């Protein structure tokens, strides 16, 4: 993948093809905050996890949430 222009870098980051550290260094930015501003200025959305990754996170969280709800204080 060639990251020639800032648009290429921002598009690659928006599609989660590169990480924020690569995007920041490729664009010569001062940090993640500047990257977020550059993304907004260019009209790009922030990258999102894949559907499979989101489902895996939910599957991991549900048992923890159920344990808290089951062990919570009872007012009855």
């Amino acid at each position: 993948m060639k990251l020639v222009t800032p648009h290429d870098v921002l598009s690659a980051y928006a599609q989660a093809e590169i990480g924020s550290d690569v995007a920041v260094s490729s664009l010569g930015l001062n940090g993640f905050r500047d990257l977020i501003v550059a993304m907004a200025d260019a009209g790009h959305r922030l990258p999102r996890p894949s559907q499979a990754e989101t489902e895996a996170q939910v599957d991991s969280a549900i048992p923890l949430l159920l344990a808290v709800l089951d062990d919570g204080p009872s007012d009855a």
Side-chain angles (χ1 to χ4, degrees):
M1 155 186 3
K2 284 190 169 188
L3 303 176
V4 178
T5 67
H7 178 76
D8 295 339
V9 174
L10 294 173
S11 294
Y13 178 64
Q15 296 171 11
E17 295 172 356
I18 62 172
S20 61
D21 54 337
V22 173
V24 167
S25 65
S26 295
L27 295 170
L29 301 174
N30 290 323
F32 185 71
R33 181 178 178 180
D34 289 346
L35 176 59
I36 300 305
V37 171
M39 293 288 288
D41 288 346
H44 287 290
R45 290 182 159 208
L46 294 177
R48 297 180 181 204
S50 67
Q51 183 67 26
E53 188 176 342
T54 301
E55 289 173 4
Q57 290 174 358
V58 169
D59 290 343
S60 296
I62 286 178
L64 298 171
L65 295 171
L66 289 174
V68 169
L69 292 174
D70 288 343
D71 292 341
S74 175
D75 290 340

